[in-house]
Amino acid sequence: MISQKYKKMLEGKSVIRQLSEFATERGKAIGYENVFDYSLGNPSVPVPREFTDVMIEMLKEKNPAELHGYSPSLGIPSVRKKIADSLNKRFGMNYTENHIFMTSGAAGAIAHAVRCVSDAGDEILTFAPFFPEYHPYINLSGAVLKVVPPNTEDFQINFTLFEEMLNEKTAAVLINSPNNPSGVVYSEETIVKLCDMLKNKEKEYGHEIFIISDEPYREILFAGVKAPYVSNYYDNTLSCYSYSKSLSLPGERIGYVAVNPACKDSEYLVSMCGQISRGIGHNCPPSIIQLAVAEVVDLTSDMSIYERNMNLIYEKLVELGFTCVKPGGTFYIFPKALEEDAKVFSQKATKYDLILVPGDSFGCSGYFRMAYCIDTEKVERSLAALEKFIKSEYGI
Amino acid sequence: MISQKYKKMLEGKSVIRQLSEFATERGKAIGYENVFDYSLGNPSVPVPREFTDVMIEMLKEKNPAELHGYSPSLGIPSVRKKIADSLNKRFGMNYTENHIFMTSGAAGAIAHAVRCVSDAGDEILTFAPFFPEYHPYINLSGAVLKVVPPNTEDFQINFTLFEEMLNEKTAAVLINSPNNPSGVVYSEETIVKLCDMLKNKEKEYGHEIFIISDEPYREILFAGVKAPYVSNYYDNTLSCYSYSKSLSLPGERIGYVAVNPACKDSEYLVSMCGQISRGIGHNCPPSIIQLAVAEVVDLTSDMSIYERNMNLIYEKLVELGFTCVKPGGTFYIFPKALEEDAKVFSQKATKYDLILVPGDSFGCSGYFRMAYCIDTEKVERSLAALEKFIKSEYGI
């Protein structure tokens, strides 16, 4: 018989998917350039030229049997070394290649990190608003995701509720800063308070509580914003990274887990990731992409466009009277909807060809997400549609 | 606390890994060209030139944000369509793109197929000799792998023992033909008998028993050998394919699950694979590799070298008095060792710089595997070492 567990999952249809389908259909009718699709976090800026050049050079020059040969299951050693060196230089860490496990993007990184530090029934806490795929990432591993309600004041952590939810079954805390969907960057004050609380609880419970730090937006920071590197504050940290956003390579599935060398049992964790891989059918990210990324490990795509887009949208939202925390990074913004039910608000917006994602699935109802990884020219045109929408529907 | 389940897995050290490490060390001492390393199934012939050309062309011509953008979670529709069309043409099937799920190689394909058709505690049967990674593939999914002992006569199926092991908990049967490690291709008679037995048991038990057909060596067939396409004989078949061997792309992690359209619940299975993905951190194989493979879907690397190598080795083995079933495909051969314990036999072989893998981990003690995906010139040189080994150690 087919698996009833996975068949049942087919019943839920994601709101983002429905909106995306609407956008596609509408695009066919009026031209996709006229649909202001803020639904998907697919980077709009190209990968640095250097990446393409090194790919072409390898394809031309290298022995294909070697180039496309099996990668060791933990990743190609020279690639892991370059990543470790780059992190050490930037964040003052002391990673070696033995602390880096190559993965299929951040999804793969989290899949491994969660299995490393939890057993069936353990709890993993995360903070709303949060990326909805955390549900399947965690719950299908056997652990249980628990969501701490949001602090809508500034989208830092709601520490009061967090402390109430911590308990002996808490194996790890999954954080995401810069944050999808809020765009907010956790301040140093937030990180310090979080780490202090966890250190105390580790003592109280007599076991480690790991931080799984989901960092795909680490490089997308706006003027004047600093993002604390979590491992600098907390030993038991596994950093999950993806090049999907910083190098605009989401389709090529490449990222890593970086295990803090000061972490409890750090000498086992990367090898354990290799064992976990055997059960989930992952055998490293593609070899050629590993090798190419290693050559551009200190580069990023041109992120300035995202900041320009953010400023345009943020200013217009404020002008129109929205309550909105200004993003410190990412390509997301998460304003408060103008009526209680953000699903109704988003539905109305589609009449103006604006695709806005209600915040409910991010664990934060009454808000909506805009993913502004689109052309600035289109952002500019969308603002007139936004103004028309608000004035027509809400009389503001 | 770190997961004790995965930490415990670190204790077992694979014999193949140990042999491979010996080969590396020995290679440093005497030159790798002088180590006759038959341990690893890493293809030695290059990918077809057309693949490299199409990769370079896409990198030069395509918009990088599109080229490297997210693939839909089931795979790129045009790629799935080309694969379906190719299979239909070759095997008289009626797949559409909706029956093809793109995966990270055969490992990824099996990870999804197993989860599709089993729940925790269900049994999956396979036939020795078998690929040892089936243990983690199956057992870490929650199902339980049961191994039917080998038919060492010809390495077809031991039907007597198979029938004894079938029971109401049998959710699927995992087969691999052409077979790693034996090189044997299941005959049409074997496939028909297997399918008839399963159809009867399906009726008896009142539920489906799926065949998961692991087919990475499907294209590596020697002169005069025909490999039945399992879906032509059995409706409830999921074919798991990888381009690792046929296109010599093991590092690029690309393959698929093809769901027989006549399969029970076939309309759900590919979408269910998409749901399974969410839990195991897989989000499609790399986009650029999907697109490039689709352009060479009917090509293979030059497989003639493997047949030449097989004939050289097989003839020498027979001449030296080995009992050996002649392979019908793959790049493996699985002779009987000249003493009861193949581990001791393999250990002695290393004195002659011959790296042979004992059959114990393949579920068939007393035999050993040679992976002859190496240069023919090296195969030729190795035969003198083999002869010296046998004459010196066994006086033959």
Side-chain angles (χ1 to χ4, degrees):
Chain A
M1 290 213 312
I2 66 171
S3 163
Q4 296 308 303
K5 175 167 87 173
Y6 293 110
K7 188 176 171 207
K8 211 170 152 54
M9 284 177 72
L10 296 177
E11 291 164 16
K13 192 158 188 181
S14 98
V15 178
I16 299 184
R17 175 66 58 92
Q18 284 171 321
L19 284 167
S20 175
E21 281 169 9
F22 170 83
T24 304
E25 284 308 305
R26 185 72 181 139
K28 284 180 195 157
I30 62 166
Y32 194 73
E33 71 280 7
N34 296 313
V35 181
F36 305 115
D37 185 357
Y38 284 109
S39 67
L40 293 179
N42 214 352
S44 56
V45 297
V47 66
R49 180 73 224 173
E50 290 85 342
F51 173 86
T52 305
D53 290 345
V54 81
M55 286 281 286
I56 292 172
E57 193 191 319
M58 287 193 295
L59 286 160
K60 281 186 174 168
E61 304 299 335
K62 284 211 172 194
N63 173 339
E66 281 173 26
L67 177 61
H68 304 300
Y70 278 114
S71 156
S73 62
L74 306 181
I76 298 172
S78 63
V79 174
R80 297 161 66 205
K81 173 82 165 58
K82 281 185 183 165
I83 290 169
D85 290 348
S86 171
L87 290 172
N88 294 344
K89 199 171 57 188
R90 292 179 55 208
F91 301 118
M93 295 290 296
N94 58 342
Y95 295 113
T96 70
E97 67 186 67
N98 297 324
H99 301 106
I100 308 294
F101 174 73
M102 301 305 298
T103 66
S104 300
I110 295 172
H112 286 87
V114 165
R115 286 166 175 80
C116 267
V117 299
S118 68
D119 285 307
D122 284 351
E123 290 183 4
I124 296 188
L125 297 186
T126 198
F127 303 97
F130 69 104
F131 182 46
E133 287 298 296
Y134 288 173
H135 281 300
Y137 290 173
I138 307 297
N139 293 332
L140 293 176
S141 81
V144 180
L145 182 71
K146 299 273 175 177
V147 180
V148 180
N151 162 5
T152 53
E153 183 80 21
D154 54 9
F155 293 124
Q156 301 286 321
I157 287 175
N158 187 329
F159 280 104
T160 312
L161 294 177
F162 175 50
E163 192 162 18
E164 285 174 17
M165 290 176 71
L166 278 165
N167 69 77
E168 298 228 338
K169 289 202 287 186
T170 308
V173 174
L174 172 54
I175 65 174
N176 173 224
S177 167
N179 181 263
N180 173 9
S182 73
V184 162
V185 177
Y186 286 168
S187 66
E188 186 171 37
E189 188 190 345
T190 294
I191 296 294
V192 168
K193 193 166 174 185
L194 170 67
C195 297
D196 285 348
M197 195 176 275
L198 290 179
K199 285 172 202 164
N200 286 332
K201 291 292 177 180
E202 283 190 327
K203 277 189 208 134
E204 183 183 332
Y205 303 147
H207 65 74
E208 299 77 42
I209 303 175
F210 288 84
I211 293 183
I212 300 173
S213 178
D214 179 24
E215 306 177 356
Y217 303 99
R218 192 175 65 203
E219 266 63 71
I220 315 182
L221 286 177
F222 302 148
V225 180
K226 284 206 167 177
Y229 187 68
V230 181
S231 268
N232 287 336
Y233 298 83
Y234 194 75
D235 288 348
N236 290 328
T237 299
L238 308 183
S239 298
C240 296
Y241 190 72
S242 165
Y243 291 97
S244 294
K245 316 295 177 175
S246 62
L247 285 175
S248 303
L249 291 174
E252 309 308 354
R253 314 308 308 136
I254 176 128
Y256 58 81
V257 177
V259 174
N260 189 336
C263 183
K264 176 79 162 69
D265 294 317
S266 69
E267 68 274 31
Y268 299 121
L269 288 170
V270 164
S271 302
M272 281 169 61
C273 285
Q275 298 301 323
I276 292 164
S277 283
R278 300 168 73 193
I280 61 182
H282 156 91
N283 292 65
C284 330
S287 296
I288 190 172
I289 307 289
Q290 287 190 57
L291 292 167
V293 158
E295 295 302 313
V296 296
V297 75
D298 288 321
L299 299 181
T300 69
S301 302
D302 175 10
M303 304 298 189
S304 64
I305 293 163
Y306 301 138
E307 183 160 11
R308 201 174 319 140
N309 290 352
M310 184 277 289
N311 280 318
L312 285 167
I313 294 167
Y314 178 74
E315 280 161 26
K316 175 59 79 177
L317 287 167
V318 170
E319 179 194 319
L320 291 171
F322 279 89
T323 299
C324 182
V325 178
K326 191 174 184 181
T330 78
F331 37 61
Y332 305 111
I333 193 166
F334 200 59
K336 191 170 182 184
L338 294 184
E339 59 184 290
E340 205 176 325
D341 189 338
K343 295 191 290 298
V344 174
F345 178 82
S346 291
Q347 194 54 49
K348 286 181 184 165
T350 60
K351 283 197 274 176
Y352 303 85
D353 298 317
L354 282 161
I355 316 295
L356 314 173
V357 179
D360 303 71
S361 59
F362 300 102
C364 193
S365 59
Y367 289 74
F368 66 96
R369 187 188 81 169
M370 298 172 75
Y372 45 84
C373 39
I374 64 177
D375 288 349
T376 302
E377 175 275 328
K378 198 170 183 177
V379 169
E380 285 166 341
R381 283 192 289 123
S382 79
L383 299 182
L386 182 66
E387 184 159 342
K388 192 172 165 202
F389 161 42
I390 300 309
K391 292 196 168 156
S392 309
E393 300 289 335
Y394 300 95
I396 299 168
Chain B
M1 288 213 313
I2 67 170
S3 163
Q4 296 308 303
K5 174 168 88 173
Y6 293 110
K7 188 177 172 206
K8 209 170 153 54
M9 284 177 72
L10 297 177
E11 291 164 15
K13 191 158 189 182
S14 98
V15 178
I16 299 185
R17 174 66 58 92
Q18 283 170 320
L19 284 167
S20 176
E21 282 169 9
F22 170 83
T24 304
E25 284 309 305
R26 186 72 181 139
K28 283 180 196 157
I30 62 166
Y32 194 74
E33 69 283 7
N34 296 314
V35 181
F36 306 115
D37 185 358
Y38 284 108
S39 67
L40 292 179
N42 214 352
S44 56
V45 296
V47 67
R49 181 72 224 173
E50 290 86 342
F51 173 86
T52 305
D53 290 344
V54 80
M55 286 281 286
I56 292 172
E57 194 190 318
M58 286 194 295
L59 286 160
K60 281 186 173 167
E61 305 298 336
K62 284 210 171 193
N63 172 341
E66 281 174 26
L67 177 62
H68 304 301
Y70 277 115
S71 156
S73 61
L74 305 180
I76 298 173
S78 63
V79 174
R80 297 161 66 204
K81 173 82 165 58
K82 280 184 183 166
I83 291 169
D85 290 349
S86 171
L87 291 172
N88 293 343
K89 198 171 60 188
R90 292 179 56 207
F91 302 117
M93 295 289 298
N94 58 341
Y95 295 113
T96 69
E97 67 185 66
N98 296 324
H99 302 107
I100 308 295
F101 175 73
M102 300 306 298
T103 66
S104 300
I110 295 172
H112 286 86
V114 165
R115 286 166 174 80
C116 266
V117 300
S118 69
D119 285 306
D122 284 351
E123 290 183 4
I124 296 186
L125 297 186
T126 199
F127 303 97
F130 70 103
F131 182 46
E133 286 298 295
Y134 288 173
H135 281 299
Y137 290 174
I138 307 296
N139 293 332
L140 293 176
S141 80
V144 180
L145 182 69
K146 299 274 175 176
V147 180
V148 181
N151 162 6
T152 53
E153 184 79 22
D154 55 9
F155 293 124
Q156 300 286 320
I157 287 174
N158 187 330
F159 280 105
T160 312
L161 293 178
F162 175 49
E163 193 162 17
E164 285 173 17
M165 291 176 70
L166 278 166
N167 69 77
E168 298 229 337
K169 288 202 288 186
T170 308
V173 174
L174 172 54
I175 65 175
N176 173 224
S177 167
N179 182 263
N180 173 11
S182 73
V184 162
V185 178
Y186 285 169
S187 66
E188 186 171 36
E189 190 191 344
T190 295
I191 296 293
V192 167
K193 194 167 173 184
L194 170 68
C195 296
D196 284 349
M197 194 175 277
L198 290 179
K199 284 171 202 163
N200 286 332
K201 290 292 177 182
E202 283 190 327
K203 277 190 205 131
E204 185 184 330
Y205 303 147
H207 65 73
E208 299 77 42
I209 303 175
F210 287 84
I211 294 182
I212 300 173
S213 178
D214 179 24
E215 306 177 356
Y217 303 99
R218 194 175 65 203
E219 266 61 72
I220 316 183
L221 286 176
F222 302 148
V225 179
K226 284 204 168 177
Y229 187 68
V230 181
S231 268
N232 288 335
Y233 298 82
Y234 194 75
D235 288 349
N236 290 327
T237 299
L238 307 183
S239 298
C240 296
Y241 189 72
S242 164
Y243 291 98
S244 294
K245 316 295 176 175
S246 63
L247 286 176
S248 303
L249 290 173
E252 309 308 354
R253 314 308 308 137
I254 176 130
Y256 58 81
V257 177
V259 174
N260 188 336
C263 183
K264 176 78 160 68
D265 295 316
S266 68
E267 69 273 30
Y268 299 120
L269 288 169
V270 164
S271 302
M272 282 168 60
C273 284
Q275 298 301 322
I276 292 164
S277 284
R278 300 167 73 192
I280 61 184
H282 155 91
N283 292 64
C284 329
S287 295
I288 190 171
I289 307 290
Q290 287 190 57
L291 293 167
V293 157
E295 296 301 313
V296 297
V297 76
D298 289 322
L299 300 181
T300 68
S301 302
D302 175 10
M303 304 299 188
S304 64
I305 292 162
Y306 301 138
E307 182 159 11
R308 201 175 319 140
N309 290 353
M310 184 277 289
N311 280 318
L312 285 168
I313 294 167
Y314 178 74
E315 280 161 27
K316 176 58 81 177
L317 287 167
V318 170
E319 180 195 319
L320 291 171
F322 279 89
T323 299
C324 182
V325 179
K326 191 174 185 181
T330 76
F331 37 61
Y332 305 110
I333 192 166
F334 200 60
K336 190 170 183 182
L338 294 183
E339 59 184 290
E340 205 177 326
D341 189 338
K343 296 190 290 298
V344 175
F345 178 83
S346 291
Q347 194 55 49
K348 286 181 185 166
T350 59
K351 282 196 274 175
Y352 303 85
D353 297 319
L354 282 161
I355 316 296
L356 314 173
V357 180
D360 302 72
S361 59
F362 301 103
C364 193
S365 60
Y367 289 74
F368 65 96
R369 187 187 79 168
M370 297 173 74
Y372 44 84
C373 39
I374 64 177
D375 287 348
T376 302
E377 174 275 327
K378 198 169 184 178
V379 170
E380 285 166 341
R381 283 193 289 124
S382 79
L383 298 181
L386 182 66
E387 186 160 341
K388 192 173 165 201
F389 161 43
I390 300 309
K391 292 196 168 157
S392 308
E393 300 289 336
Y394 300 95
I396 298 170

